[in-house]
Amino acid sequence: MSMKLSQKQIGQRIAELRKTKGLSQEDLAKSVKISRPSLAQIELGNRSVDILELQQLSQVLRFSLDDFMSEDFSTSKEVFAKQEKQINKQEERISVPTLQVDKFKNVLLYILERCAGKPNVGETVLYKLLYFTDFNYYELYEEHLTGAKYRKLPFGPVPQKLDTIINQMIANAQLQRVKTEYHGYPQTRYLPLEKADLTELKASEKEVIDRVIEQMSDWSAAMISEYSHKDMPWLASKEGEEINYELAFYRDIPFSVRNYGDEIEE
């Protein structure tokens, strides 16, 4: 439910999101092209934010405007690992994704083991590698790999609760967050401090991850974002809403990873 926020509430929420992302005021101000003193005044509630500035902030801090303006907005929701559940409704199989935190952490570590050394692999590329890994696996095997839920935001699909998981991993010395510049733009990168536990990954899961890495890990942030915006799950979803995994079955070439022509109807 959306509500009218005061300048102070808006500033507090922006400050919380910035800190959750591990950004300094200088980092964020530079990314949205305003001065650091202006950002400080916004966070203190002493300066209003116009809609264009709020849209820029949403892109950098990766939040949905609807969520940001809602009464129950929170930057620190707890993450619980649960087993994936299957439900049947009107004789139609609906697979409900439920985040498997340990599996997600090991997929993240494995991708970073192979890609963290590439200068193009900042947050934007990393998020898309995770997205295509999860959705490609679901299209192929009709099972969830990590169970992560992804939301359609302006800059591409983003896994929900990722900031919470990353902050846990940093606190546990599993990851290191690094601030760099890439082609003149601020970039957030993550370095793995421990190896992924490959016993947590099935051979089929590792194979799908490897394929995604081989295909896309050298792409620029702009290129992989543009590609994700043409994928059917993204196209068919509404702004700010969760992307339905079932939409993977409506993909066309070159996005589809399953050879439906080889399947025989019974």
Side-chain angles (χ1 to χ4, degrees):
M1 184 175 96
S2 295
M3 65 174 185
K4 180 73 173 176
L5 297 178
S6 67
Q7 280 186 198
K8 186 171 183 179
Q9 288 173 309
I10 290 174
Q12 287 173 339
R13 292 184 177 192
I14 290 171
E16 289 173 8
L17 285 163
R18 175 179 61 75
K19 291 172 184 175
T20 299
K21 280 290 188 183
L23 295 173
S24 67
Q25 286 185 337
E26 189 69 35
D27 291 333
L28 182 55
K30 185 174 181 180
S31 296
V32 298
K33 296 180 173 59
I34 62 176
S35 68
R36 192 201 65 76
S38 292
L39 178 61
Q41 290 301 306
I42 289 171
E43 293 187 355
L44 290 169
N46 297 331
R47 178 187 180 285
S48 62
V49 186
D50 64 37
I51 188 61
L52 292 178
E53 289 174 332
L54 195 56
Q55 287 175 343
Q56 286 181 307
L57 287 164
S58 75
Q59 291 182 22
V60 175
L61 296 174
R62 303 182 186 277
F63 62 79
S64 158
L65 289 176
D66 286 341
D67 279 352
F68 185 85
M69 301 301 292
S70 69
E71 186 175 359
D72 58 354
F73 172 82
S74 173
T75 59
S76 55
K77 297 177 180 177
E78 293 183 3
V79 180
F80 297 96
K82 298 178 181 178
Q83 294 299 315
E84 179 180 308
K85 298 178 181 178
Q86 300 289 331
I87 62 173
N88 294 312
K89 183 178 181 181
Q90 298 177 347
E91 299 182 351
E92 178 184 3
R93 178 191 58 77
I94 301 175
S95 182
V96 180
T98 303
L99 181 61
Q100 301 177 67
V101 177
D102 287 340
K103 175 69 74 65
F104 187 91
K105 288 179 178 179
N106 279 292
V107 170
L108 179 59
L109 284 171
Y110 181 66
I111 291 175
L112 288 173
E113 278 180 41
R114 294 200 52 192
C115 303
K118 299 185 177 186
N120 61 301
V121 181
E123 279 187 329
T124 298
V125 174
L126 179 61
Y127 293 171
K128 306 305 181 295
L129 295 178
L130 288 165
Y131 164 78
F132 281 108
T133 290
D134 272 320
F135 275 75
N136 288 5
Y137 189 84
Y138 190 77
E139 185 190 359
L140 279 169
Y141 297 104
E142 300 183 26
E143 295 178 355
H144 294 289
L145 201 166
T146 70
K149 296 179 181 181
Y150 292 78
R151 180 166 293 182
K152 179 175 180 176
L153 295 179
F155 35 82
V158 175
Q160 299 180 48
K161 302 181 179 178
L162 180 60
D163 286 338
T164 303
I165 293 173
I166 283 178
N167 286 336
Q168 287 178 354
M169 295 177 75
I170 291 172
N172 294 332
Q174 295 174 293
L175 285 183
Q176 180 182 357
R177 181 188 281 124
V178 178
K179 303 294 180 183
T180 62
E181 282 199 1
Y182 186 62
H183 294 311
Y185 291 95
Q187 183 191 58
T188 301
R189 301 169 58 81
Y190 296 98
L191 305 179
L193 300 181
E194 66 176 46
K195 287 188 171 293
D197 181 1
L198 295 183
T199 63
E200 289 284 328
L201 301 177
K202 295 188 291 189
S204 59
E205 294 171 339
K206 184 176 176 294
E207 182 180 5
V208 169
I209 300 169
D210 287 339
R211 286 180 186 172
V212 169
I213 290 172
E214 288 165 11
Q215 180 187 359
M216 304 177 190
S217 65
D218 291 321
W219 293 2
S220 68
M223 183 177 178
I224 199 168
S225 293
E226 182 181 359
Y227 187 76
S228 72
H229 289 177
K230 296 176 182 177
D231 192 19
M232 181 54 70
W234 164 269
L235 287 172
S237 300
K238 293 182 180 179
E239 187 71 29
E241 291 189 354
E242 184 181 318
I243 301 174
N244 190 335
Y245 274 88
E246 299 294 318
L247 294 170
F249 301 122
Y250 296 90
R251 287 168 154 178
D252 293 320
I253 294 173
F255 299 95
S256 180
V257 292
R258 183 168 172 175
N259 188 349
Y260 295 94
D262 290 343
E263 297 179 9
I264 301 175
E265 295 184 3
E266 295 181 359

